[in-house]
Amino acid sequence: MFWGIAILIICIVMGLPIYVGLLGAGLYILLIVQQIPIDMVITGLYDGVAKFTLTAVPFFLLAGSFMEKSSFADRLVKSFTPWLVKVRGGIPIAAILANELFGAMSGSAPAAAGTIGRVMFPVVSKSNSEKFALGMFASAGALAIVMPPSINMILFATATNASIGALFLAGVVPAIIIGVCLCSYIWFVSKPAGQDVKFDLKYAAKMTLKGLPVLILPVIVLGGIYKGAFTPTEAGAVSAVYAFLLPFLFYKELKPPVIKECIKDTTKLTGQIFILIAASTVFSQALAMAQVPEMLKQALNGLSPLMFLMLLNVILIIVGCFFDPTSAVLVLAPVVAPVAASLGIDLLHLGIVFTVNLAIGMFTPPFGLNLYVIQSIFKRRLEDIARAVPPFFVVFIIALIIITYFPQLYLWLPKMSMVQ
Amino acid sequence: MVQLRKHLRRILTCLDSISGVLLLVCTASAFINVVARYVFSRPFVWGEEVSVLALVWMVYLSQGLLENDNEQLAMTALYRALGEKVRRAVDVLRCAVTVFLSGYLLYAGMVIVMRNGELNMTTQAIGFPLWIAYLVIPLALACMIMARLVHPITDAPAAEVVGMKEDEGTCSGV
Amino acid sequence: SQGQNESKGGTNDGGKKVVMRVATPTTNDPQTHEMELFKEVVEKKSNGRIEVQLYPSCQLGSNAQMLQGLQAGTIHGLLEPTAFLGGFCDVLTVVDLPYFFPDVWTATEMLNGPAGDDLRSYLEERGLVAASFYSYGDRVLLLKFPVDSMDSFKGKKVRIMGAKVLIDEINSWGGTGVPMDVPELYTALQQGAIDGLESAPQFFWMGKYYEVAKYIFYEPKGAEVTIFMMNKKWLEGLPSDLREIILESAKEIQPNAEKFARELQQKALDDMKAAGVQVIEASPQLRAQLEEASKVVHETFLKDNPDAKPIYESLKKAIGS
Ligand code: NA
Ligand code: NA
């Protein structure tokens, strides 16, 4: 067992692809420790991927790709920023709102950090400071994986047999809680709007009207899932088609070479994620075979749910510093979920705690995808970005504590949707 | 070697394009399914199994190109900090490990494909032969082995961190 | 470490401890009860020479993967409803034909007796041993709509357990049978992506599906039977006394399993009724209509599986007598 885990860590640290580490460790545990025929590895590679609910992943990735390559974010931002010009900290607050809304359309945090950042970085740098803007855009992008739709939630739900639709709905309020915490912080540290800034009602209304077709997408996706118009998988397909047709037909964007690029990006990302899903299926089945979840259950028996969640938060924050959320959720969720269940923790609650922690990991140094996105877009030094992040990290941690210990704040939404 | 690399990449790109077509078919069929439900109030029964089969093939058909272009998710921070010589040693080790693992799995995969064929195993709803469905795994493994063999040394450590190219402004990754 | 030595399943010579890995897809239901009973009896009878390791809740993969694992000998025993054997061993879904067996309890009793011999020998050709059959419950419908005639099913989507005969059954009544993963069922049902599901009352009760669908239509009263399969080669490699213990135990727990399933079904029905669920019994005419419509399912089954004819005929004869 020890060597199995050691193989995994050595492979990953040495820079071998993560799937190689997972497969190597899985094979070692199955073939050498458990002496099980190799069949299980192959059927695991097939079965881990062959799940209907997982088809939502490429759909949402494709939708995100279309949004990234069109004027979606630009139109989104312009549709409501004119309303906030007189508010203290209005411009960065608008950026947070834009991240929330973009998050409600797209499942990927780096896409949010990059797309919204590209549009709003200059204005926020001017209204506050560049350091502030760097920290804010690196961290606020993480909202996209807490606000549904979220690829990480799909992966968590599939790995633990939770309902994707219910987990999506459970994520709405936590994303708002984080947003409120961020906005409060922004309000405190920003100066009041200058006297020379004028609010123009006519202009604001015009821009909102123009942005309406874009603003409708989150309503379709989330409202559709809430009202039961379609399943999460169908919601993915609908948003991909919408994110393509709207710019293609009405904005004259997404010319054929761009479409080709979007498809290529999506197959690449899908391939990267799904080989991990396949390999982690083999790995977690190997752990199950070696009865590791059972041992963990016994080891942690008697721990109070509060203590367990605190421990989990600490572990996940550390894991988030070094790993991308995709691998982290795939490797840890199947092991942690049975333990949490035996301690009486709601699966949706656990899923949200997982998601928020790993969202924080997106912008914690040394490794965080959002940091690199911001670095490559704005050509700033990684050290400068990392130095800008801490205040926002603290805000996220405060939100995390609220979310961890007051699940009743958000679990009512999926429950209410079920009572209709 | 250069010619060989070129040809291999062309083949792998072609497989990746098939993967892209499957993506479009999959998306379109899921979308049409929603429409069919509302307009004709009758979903396709076969929709789910076909989507799953397309997904499996989509995923594995793109693996060859990913391996070839060294774009698999990896944590490359320590690797990049290593000296040139140690890096090359890690490369060779990676090549050996990947080829060994994939080769072993390729063999096992063929055994399963054959067993599924002999026993006429099929999917439940549409009765699609499982051996064909499974065939994509050995195919992908073979592609990965070839890709690794023609690139025993990773030409340039592409990934800054998990799937992110340094020079790339795009927001890939999840 | 010692954990490693204990779990070596490959070696089963004389003195060493034999590990038997038993899996099932479900959680907290008759099947998990049966596997726990089995573990208790086997470990006691063998004086600890056999250790039974339990893997419920799809820990070792989906139904399809577990079936492959059973064949390969990765898993030694597998409990699952015959309705999930479609595509792997379609002949066995003869059990799931609508209006074939009068009810699940009779079906289980017959399958465990001589009438099940054909079925068992068919599995043996595929390297599996059918150690025992257990009753899961009456296969009935939980619906979001009341049923008063055949027309009620028009345009309705009902989730079935996977076997083609069950898809055909719902289709023959004018609805659409759709397979779907269990984790999505609750939301799909609540949101109207499906209009109902077909399984046993205890399944509706444990999954709390009755919270979002209020009508139980007590038809076709099909046989939801669990089959306990084992890997033949592995079993034959065991010392004969251990093999006997395993096979005996699988049969021995039968009455206890039956009692548990019956009580659970009754409790489930009582609880759901108390929660406002309406249990609809079909009128004799409607039942006759449904049965008549279902004939095409039997025909299609025999056409799809020509090798099932002898099994079908012999079972039919046994049921008739
Ligand atoms: Na999102
Ligand atoms: Na991080």
Side-chain angles (χ1 to χ4, degrees):
Chain A
M1 240 356 280
F2 167 78
W3 280 108
I5 308 291
I7 289 173
L8 175 66
I9 293 171
I10 292 170
C11 286
I12 290 177
V13 169
M14 281 199 325
L16 265 59
I18 295 170
Y19 87 89
V20 173
L22 285 166
L23 268 185
L27 271 169
Y28 171 80
I29 296 172
L30 285 175
L31 302 183
I32 316 269
V33 181
Q34 299 283 313
Q35 303 192 345
I36 279 164
I38 193 173
D39 293 57
M40 188 158 177
V41 182
I42 302 290
T43 53
L45 286 177
Y46 180 88
D47 235 73
V49 176
K51 294 197 178 106
F52 181 65
T53 47
L54 285 178
T55 49
V57 175
F59 296 165
F60 279 119
L61 289 175
L62 185 62
S65 192
F66 286 139
M67 287 176 212
E68 211 184 299
K69 299 255 157 63
S70 62
S71 59
F72 248 77
D74 199 38
R75 286 165 196 272
L76 176 73
V77 167
K78 283 190 181 138
S79 70
F80 60 84
T81 27
W83 295 95
L84 295 166
V85 285
K86 289 299 280 179
V87 178
R88 178 167 159 187
I91 290 168
I93 285 174
I96 298 294
L97 261 175
N99 268 296
E100 296 266 20
L101 285 170
F102 193 79
M105 298 188 264
S106 153
S108 138
T115 329
I116 305 292
R118 214 171 270 157
V119 181
M120 292 197 78
F121 181 73
V123 280
V124 176
S125 297
K126 217 172 99 192
S127 76
N128 293 60
S129 70
E130 193 184 281
K131 188 178 170 191
F132 180 89
L134 284 176
M136 192 189 80
F137 284 107
S139 60
L143 278 169
I145 67 174
V146 184
M147 182 62 101
S150 157
I151 310 280
N152 284 80
M153 286 184 187
I154 299 176
L155 299 182
F156 179 89
T158 312
T160 61
N161 284 344
S163 157
I164 296 174
L167 191 57
F168 273 9
L169 292 177
V172 176
V173 178
I176 295 173
I177 292 174
I178 298 173
V180 169
C181 291
L182 283 170
C183 288
S184 316
Y185 168 73
I186 290 170
W187 191 83
F188 270 111
V189 298
S190 301
K191 288 195 268 313
Q195 289 298 317
D196 51 325
V197 187
K198 287 276 172 299
F199 169 64
D200 183 346
L201 178 70
K202 235 171 141 184
Y203 176 74
K206 193 180 128 204
M207 291 319 280
T208 305
L209 215 62
K210 268 183 103 174
L212 226 45
V214 172
L215 288 169
I216 268 174
L217 185 55
V219 181
I220 298 178
V221 171
L222 288 182
I225 293 172
Y226 181 79
K227 279 288 170 196
F230 27 73
T231 61
T233 308
E234 291 169 341
V238 169
S239 48
V241 171
Y242 191 85
F244 169 69
L245 285 183
L246 180 70
F248 182 77
L249 293 179
F250 298 102
Y251 306 151
K252 305 290 170 231
E253 297 164 352
L254 299 179
K255 298 277 179 264
V258 183
I259 299 173
K260 214 176 137 193
E261 214 178 308
C262 290
I263 295 169
K264 266 194 127 68
D265 283 354
T266 307
T267 57
K268 181 175 128 189
L269 270 173
T270 308
Q272 287 174 333
I273 296 171
F274 277 70
I275 191 74
L276 268 181
I277 297 177
S280 68
T281 303
V282 172
F283 180 69
S284 68
Q285 284 178 359
L287 291 184
M289 206 58 136
Q291 308 229 303
V292 171
E294 211 44 51
M295 288 180 221
L296 267 179
K297 243 191 248 176
Q298 263 149 31
L300 296 174
N301 192 21
L303 204 64
S304 81
L306 285 182
M307 277 301 290
F308 174 81
L309 287 170
M310 202 164 87
L311 197 68
L312 185 68
N313 276 334
V314 173
I315 294 172
L316 286 177
I317 289 286
I318 295 171
V319 165
C321 286
F322 298 96
F323 281 90
D324 70 304
T326 312
S327 344
V329 84
L330 286 170
V331 173
L332 293 177
V335 183
V336 175
V339 182
S342 75
L343 296 175
I345 294 165
D346 191 296
L347 194 54
L348 295 179
H349 182 191
L350 182 75
I352 296 300
V353 170
F354 248 85
T355 308
V356 175
N357 271 297
L358 297 177
I360 294 174
M362 302 290 311
F363 62 86
T364 49
F367 315 114
L369 207 42
N370 283 7
L371 300 176
Y372 294 97
V373 172
I374 298 292
Q375 178 199 26
S376 65
I377 294 177
F378 304 120
K379 308 280 179 255
R380 298 296 188 279
R381 291 191 321 161
L382 202 59
E383 292 79 22
D384 294 339
I385 305 169
R387 237 172 257 139
V389 158
F392 294 94
F393 176 75
V394 173
V395 176
F396 264 83
I397 293 293
I398 291 169
L400 172 68
I401 292 169
I402 299 172
I403 289 161
T404 305
Y405 293 112
F406 300 97
Q408 61 274 27
L409 285 176
Y410 49 89
L411 289 183
W412 58 270
L413 188 61
K415 289 205 178 100
M416 193 170 87
S417 147
M418 285 164 186
V419 177
Q420 284 172 23
Chain B
M1 193 68 164
V2 177
Q3 273 302 317
L4 191 63
R5 283 184 185 178
K6 240 190 203 158
H7 284 306
L8 182 63
R9 190 164 196 286
R10 202 168 293 145
I11 295 168
L12 297 178
T13 309
C14 179
L15 292 179
D16 186 62
S17 306
I18 300 174
S19 173
V21 172
L22 285 174
L23 169 70
L24 291 186
V25 172
C26 221
T27 316
S29 95
F31 182 75
I32 291 167
N33 206 8
V34 182
V35 176
R37 201 168 70 224
Y38 283 98
V39 182
F40 312 107
S41 77
R42 213 179 163 79
F44 315 124
V45 182
W46 47 265
E48 191 156 325
E49 272 187 6
V50 172
S51 303
V52 167
L53 290 169
L55 178 68
V56 174
W57 273 73
M58 185 200 306
V59 165
Y60 282 103
L61 282 179
S62 63
Q63 292 307 320
L65 190 63
L66 283 175
E67 191 70 45
N68 187 78
D69 295 356
N70 192 24
E71 287 191 313
Q72 297 285 16
L73 296 186
M75 216 173 79
T76 49
L78 180 71
Y79 174 88
R80 287 159 51 79
L82 296 171
E84 175 78 13
K85 271 196 187 142
V86 190
R87 272 217 302 255
R88 293 299 152 256
V90 171
D91 278 348
V92 172
L93 179 80
R94 170 187 175 178
C95 181
V97 169
T98 311
V99 170
F100 173 75
L101 275 182
S102 306
Y104 191 36
L105 290 174
L106 175 63
Y107 163 75
M110 283 317 295
V111 171
I112 294 213
V113 165
M114 260 137 53
R115 197 180 66 209
N116 280 334
E118 271 164 32
L119 294 170
N120 285 324
M121 307 258 269
T122 63
T123 60
Q124 287 221 3
I126 57 167
F128 188 82
L130 268 185
W131 73 268
I132 300 181
Y134 265 87
L135 199 58
V136 76
I137 294 181
L139 177 66
L141 290 163
C143 290
M144 287 154 99
I145 293 173
M146 283 191 289
R148 210 60 276 145
L149 284 177
V150 301
H151 297 279
I153 305 288
T154 52
D155 303 318
E160 164 85 22
V161 74
V162 282
M164 194 62 207
K165 270 194 175 175
E166 222 173 340
D167 52 347
E168 217 175 61
T170 58
C171 321
S172 51
V174 192
Chain C
S1 71
Q2 77 190 101
Q4 292 176 7
N5 296 329
E6 274 174 11
S7 42
K8 275 181 187 166
T11 50
N12 39 33
D13 48 295
K16 259 197 193 151
K17 196 178 206 177
V18 172
V19 170
M20 180 180 189
R21 283 185 286 267
V22 179
T24 197
T26 48
T27 323
N28 292 329
D29 75 335
Q31 290 181 156
T32 43
H33 176 73
E34 284 142 19
M35 76 197 300
E36 278 158 19
L37 278 178
F38 176 76
K39 177 182 165 75
E40 197 185 309
V41 173
V42 166
E43 289 184 351
K44 198 166 152 212
K45 276 193 167 189
S46 70
N47 260 327
R49 280 171 65 204
I50 305 175
E51 184 197 339
V52 180
Q53 289 179 352
L54 302 183
Y55 300 94
S57 327
C58 282
Q59 278 180 49
L60 302 184
S62 67
N63 285 309
Q65 198 191 346
M66 286 192 289
L67 271 169
Q68 299 233 3
L70 183 69
Q71 267 193 326
T74 313
I75 299 171
H76 307 124
L78 174 62
L79 295 111
E80 70 176 352
T82 50
F84 283 130
L85 291 171
F88 169 74
C89 190
D90 288 293
V91 171
L92 259 90
T93 60
V94 65
V95 179
D96 301 282
L97 284 170
Y99 304 108
F100 189 54
F101 288 106
D103 59 62
V104 61
W105 324 105
T106 322
T108 306
E109 199 187 322
M110 288 180 63
L111 290 170
N112 278 318
D117 284 348
D118 286 342
L119 226 50
R120 277 193 288 272
S121 63
Y122 187 86
L123 270 180
E124 265 179 51
E125 286 167 25
R126 313 203 131 209
L128 303 181
V129 172
S132 187
F133 294 89
Y134 309 108
S135 299
Y136 195 100
D138 291 323
R139 177 176 290 122
V140 294
L141 298 167
L142 175 71
L143 303 168
K144 292 187 87 168
F145 56 95
V147 177
D148 49 20
S149 70
M150 287 279 283
D151 290 337
S152 306
F153 288 102
K154 205 161 261 163
K156 302 293 189 193
K157 297 159 298 265
V158 178
R159 180 265 181 179
I160 45 80
M161 288 173 66
K164 185 163 178 296
V165 293
L166 298 176
I167 299 179
D168 291 348
E169 170 203 281
I170 303 293
N171 293 356
S172 77
W173 297 349
T176 308
V178 286
M180 188 178 275
D181 290 341
V182 172
E184 291 308 315
L185 283 185
Y186 191 104
T187 348
L189 190 61
Q190 165 232 328
Q191 297 176 336
I194 49 173
D195 303 295
L197 42 105
E198 191 192 47
S199 188
Q202 42 271 58
F203 180 78
F204 306 152
W205 179 63
M206 286 174 305
K208 299 207 166 91
Y209 303 112
Y210 66 93
E211 291 174 355
V212 285
K214 291 290 175 199
Y215 303 96
I216 291 180
F217 182 54
Y218 223 83
E219 291 293 329
K221 229 175 155 185
E224 197 161 316
V225 175
T226 296
I227 177 168
F228 189 0
M229 295 173 288
M230 294 175 190
N231 181 296
K232 190 168 174 239
K233 208 169 132 201
W234 175 81
L235 208 54
E236 281 169 355
L238 292 176
S240 61
D241 57 329
L242 294 187
R243 184 167 58 234
E244 280 312 304
I245 288 175
I246 287 173
L247 291 172
E248 261 171 35
S249 305
K251 292 203 174 66
E252 198 181 303
I253 63 171
Q254 175 67 40
N256 189 331
E258 177 98 3
K259 185 165 165 277
F260 181 84
R262 275 182 191 269
E263 284 172 6
L264 191 65
Q265 175 159 318
Q266 196 51 52
K267 180 164 172 38
L269 281 169
D270 291 345
D271 262 28
M272 288 190 287
K273 276 185 203 162
V277 172
Q278 194 186 334
V279 178
I280 305 169
E281 301 276 354
S283 65
Q285 297 95 305
L286 179 56
R287 186 164 221 265
Q289 280 177 339
L290 291 168
E291 199 172 336
E292 182 61 31
S294 305
K295 279 195 174 138
V296 65
V297 183
H298 292 232
E299 286 159 21
T300 318
F301 172 75
L302 289 172
K303 209 163 69 200
D304 289 348
N305 306 286
D307 50 342
K309 191 131 184 129
I311 294 178
Y312 179 87
E313 296 296 347
S314 75
L315 277 173
K316 194 160 186 137
K317 226 172 104 196
I319 294 164
S321 60

